[in-house]
Amino acid sequence: MRSVTWSLCAVLCLCAWGVGDCRSGEPSGALRRRRSPDDDAKKCSYTFLVPQQKITGPICASATGPEPDKDRVTRMDIVEVRDVLSKQRREIETLQLVVDVDGNMVNEMKLLRKESRNMNSRVTQLYMQLLHEIIRKRDNSLELAQLENRILNVTSEMLRLASRYKELELRYSAMASLVNNQSVLINALEEQCLRTYSRQELPVVPPLVQVVPENLPINNRFTNEIQRDHNRAFPRGSRMDSSPTANPVGFPPPPQGTLSSDGPFRDCYQVRQAGHATSGMYLLKVDGSERLIQAWCEHGLDNGGWTVFQRRKDGSVNFFRNWENYKKGFGNIDSEYWLGLENIYNLGKQGDYRLLVELEDWVGKKVYAEYSSFHLEPESESYRLRLGTYQGNAGDSLSSHNGKQFTTLDRDKDSFTGNCAHFHKGGWWYNACGQTNLNGVWYTGGVYRSKFQDGIFWADYGGGFYSLKSVRMMIRPID
């Protein structure tokens, strides 16, 4: 409506302005026709072409127009414009408030997004930690399961061992009962023998040697009459391994130890002269004989060259043998063995030899007895022992056996009325019966109890009832 009103006002003003110009005869800038003489009597008429345009501001009225209308229109316009401006200002302020609110909301959204990203990162970190903890707990559960399986296996093994131990206890009890029964039987037989010989002369037993010398090397006392070794009981005076062992003479060599590929040599002294400085098994062949001998050569003692012909160390070999065994030899070269009387005789007749006896007690102390000369007579003389003078720190317990023949259970050559080999459970150059018995029974612990002195004793070192831990007898040519 306001635009239409303004348009009508403008048309009226232009019409008024055009009539004034028509009357004054001044052109108005529109199309006009010249008056001709024929048109003088006609009225003056004009045609205006007003272009259509949108009125966007106030209309400048003619100076000749009425002032009141002009002032009224201008005031109305100003009021309306002011109203419009006020409304626009309010709208702008409203929009500014909205923009401020929206900006704050945008900032808050940004902060919320940032916090959301931080929270997502934290949640991811916590999730990874939780996943790691779950994996660790699973690994721990696997380890725990493995440990439980191991515990179950160990428990079952313990139960099996306990059952086995109970079986062994039962077997041991049975064997102990058997041994006790045998002891009772032996006592009964001894009583029967005593009753049998009560009307006759009692059998003569060999005299006991010095029992407890001043230098007795003892750290504990065993009073068992029955020898026990690793829960195995053996009858007194013998070992259970009564079957013959490997002969040290001949081939093939025993599986353990080392045998030199050089040789054969006449004795271990020649082995040492050939440049061999390692103790071990070597092949020997004495002069005048085609028979080969395997012997242990000791090169770590007194410049070496010692031929070992007897050794006791662990009781693995039974030395309660007959004449033929002692003649040919028995045992294992790298353990307990006897080289053989015939081999010892053949070695000794090659030249002048000396004898070294090495003794070790159960506290680790070693002593020795050395004799300036040593050889044996032939079998026709029952391998009679010939010794020289003594020196050493073990005491002279072998000189009383000098000149005596060798005695075994099946060939009695001693000076006693009975058989010393029977009482001392070995073969030796017994007198009646003597001061030493290095081929007797190997008892553990040193001091032993037996009806007869049948241990490995050296009377001047330990007495007759102290069984030595290890013994070696060896010979070497006189320097």
Side-chain angles (χ1 to χ4, degrees):
M1 290 296 294
R2 189 169 54 184
S3 299
V4 174
T5 303
W6 279 99
S7 298
L8 291 177
C9 291
V11 170
L12 292 175
C13 290
L14 289 175
C15 289
W17 180 71
V19 172
D21 289 340
C22 180
R23 290 177 179 177
S24 62
E26 294 179 1
S28 59
L31 294 179
R32 185 177 59 186
R33 291 186 303 177
R34 291 183 178 269
R35 290 181 298 178
S36 62
D38 295 331
D39 293 332
D40 291 337
K42 299 180 180 179
K43 295 181 180 181
C44 183
S45 62
Y46 297 93
T47 302
F48 296 95
L49 297 176
V50 180
Q52 295 182 357
Q53 58 182 357
K54 187 177 180 180
I55 299 174
T56 58
I59 298 174
C60 182
S62 175
T64 61
E67 279 304 291
D69 294 335
K70 180 180 178 181
D71 294 337
R72 181 176 59 81
V73 172
T74 302
R75 285 195 297 274
M76 290 176 64
D77 182 53
I78 291 171
V79 170
E80 291 179 359
V81 169
R82 286 178 179 176
D83 293 338
V84 171
L85 289 175
S86 298
K87 187 181 294 185
Q88 290 179 353
R89 187 178 295 108
R90 287 194 298 273
E91 290 178 357
I92 290 172
E93 291 176 356
T94 303
L95 290 175
Q96 184 67 35
L97 293 174
V98 172
V99 169
D100 293 338
V101 172
D102 291 342
N104 293 333
M105 291 181 66
V106 169
N107 292 331
E108 290 180 359
M109 288 296 296
K110 290 182 179 180
L111 292 176
L112 288 174
R113 287 180 180 178
K114 185 176 181 181
E115 291 180 359
S116 177
R117 288 194 297 269
N118 294 335
M119 290 298 295
N120 290 335
S121 177
R122 180 59 179 168
V123 168
T124 303
Q125 184 179 3
L126 291 175
Y127 176 76
M128 295 301 295
Q129 291 179 358
L130 180 61
L131 184 62
H132 179 72
E133 187 69 18
I134 292 173
I135 295 174
R136 188 179 66 82
K137 288 185 178 296
R138 186 186 63 182
D139 295 340
N140 290 339
S141 63
L142 292 176
E143 293 179 358
L144 181 61
Q146 293 177 357
L147 183 60
E148 288 178 350
N149 291 332
R150 291 177 60 185
I151 291 174
L152 291 176
N153 293 334
V154 172
T155 303
S156 61
E157 184 68 16
M158 289 178 62
L159 293 176
R160 189 184 67 81
L161 292 177
S163 176
R164 180 62 177 167
Y165 179 72
K166 289 181 180 178
E167 293 178 1
L168 292 176
E169 281 186 339
L170 294 176
R171 293 178 60 185
Y172 176 76
S173 300
M175 293 179 67
S177 300
L178 178 61
V179 170
N180 292 332
N181 294 334
Q182 289 179 350
S183 300
V184 172
L185 180 60
I186 290 173
N187 291 332
L189 291 175
E190 287 178 350
E191 292 177 359
Q192 184 179 357
C193 290
L194 290 176
R195 288 194 300 269
T196 303
Y197 287 102
S198 60
R199 299 177 182 179
Q200 302 176 5
E201 183 179 358
L202 294 176
V204 179
V205 297
L208 299 179
V209 300
Q210 182 182 4
V211 178
V212 183
E214 295 180 358
N215 60 341
L216 179 64
I218 179 173
N219 61 344
N220 56 0
R221 285 184 177 270
F222 291 163
T223 57
N224 302 32
E225 185 173 358
I226 302 299
Q227 179 183 0
R228 290 182 174 87
D229 182 18
H230 300 293
N231 293 333
R232 293 180 300 173
F234 300 97
R236 121 191 108 164
S238 69
R239 300 283 292 189
M240 293 300 295
D241 52 349
S242 59
S243 60
T245 53
N247 193 322
V249 181
F251 296 97
Q256 297 180 348
T258 57
L259 179 64
S260 173
S261 60
D262 297 341
F265 304 94
R266 66 194 303 265
D267 56 16
C268 290
Y269 186 73
Q270 191 179 57
V271 172
R272 185 69 181 87
Q273 288 179 332
H276 298 280
T278 303
S279 300
M281 288 184 291
Y282 291 86
L283 200 61
L284 307 181
K285 185 169 74 68
V286 298
D287 296 339
S289 175
E290 297 299 327
R291 189 176 185 182
L292 297 178
I293 306 172
Q294 290 178 7
W296 184 276
C297 295
E298 178 58 49
H299 298 309
L301 182 65
D302 192 19
N303 296 324
W306 293 97
T307 304
V308 181
F309 67 85
Q310 189 261 17
R311 177 161 56 190
R312 308 295 302 277
K313 58 184 294 187
D314 54 13
S316 59
V317 177
N318 179 19
F319 273 65
F320 194 22
R321 304 295 185 101
N322 57 19
W323 179 268
E324 192 66 21
N325 288 146
Y326 270 100
K327 176 183 176 181
K328 293 181 178 180
F330 55 87
N332 300 315
I333 295 297
D334 56 348
S335 181
E336 291 192 343
Y337 76 98
W338 174 262
L339 189 61
L341 291 169
E342 187 66 23
N343 295 326
I344 299 172
Y345 163 71
N346 291 328
L347 284 170
K349 72 178 183 179
Q350 294 184 123
D352 296 330
Y353 286 83
R354 54 177 174 156
L355 172 67
L356 178 64
V357 181
E358 183 186 61
L359 312 174
E360 181 182 4
D361 58 32
W362 286 89
V363 295
K365 181 180 179 181
K366 291 185 178 181
V367 294
Y368 75 97
E370 186 175 356
Y371 296 88
S372 60
S373 63
F374 168 84
H375 72 275
L376 300 181
E377 295 184 3
E379 185 180 8
S380 59
E381 293 293 327
S382 299
Y383 300 107
R384 192 184 302 274
L385 177 64
R386 296 300 181 183
L387 292 175
T389 58
Y390 159 83
Q391 64 174 0
N393 58 358
D396 184 12
S397 294
L398 191 59
S399 293
S400 60
H401 298 260
N402 188 22
K404 304 303 176 183
Q405 295 178 326
F406 200 85
T407 296
T408 60
L409 184 63
D410 57 339
R411 184 173 296 190
D412 186 5
K413 296 294 181 178
D414 56 48
S415 302
F416 184 61
T417 55
N419 190 334
C420 292
H422 168 71
F423 295 106
H424 290 289
K425 303 300 184 294
W428 196 250
W429 297 276
Y430 292 112
N431 188 349
C433 283
Q435 299 293 307
T436 183
N437 185 38
L438 300 185
N439 288 339
V441 180
W442 189 85
Y443 287 103
T444 60
V447 175
Y448 65 97
R449 190 180 73 177
S450 177
K451 189 172 182 179
F452 305 106
Q453 293 173 329
D454 54 6
I456 303 174
F457 68 86
W458 187 271
D460 287 276
Y461 188 76
F465 284 105
Y466 185 89
S467 185
L468 297 166
K469 181 180 180 181
S470 65
V471 176
R472 290 196 301 179
M473 301 180 69
M474 58 195 86
I475 58 174
R476 189 177 71 176
I478 300 175
D479 299 334

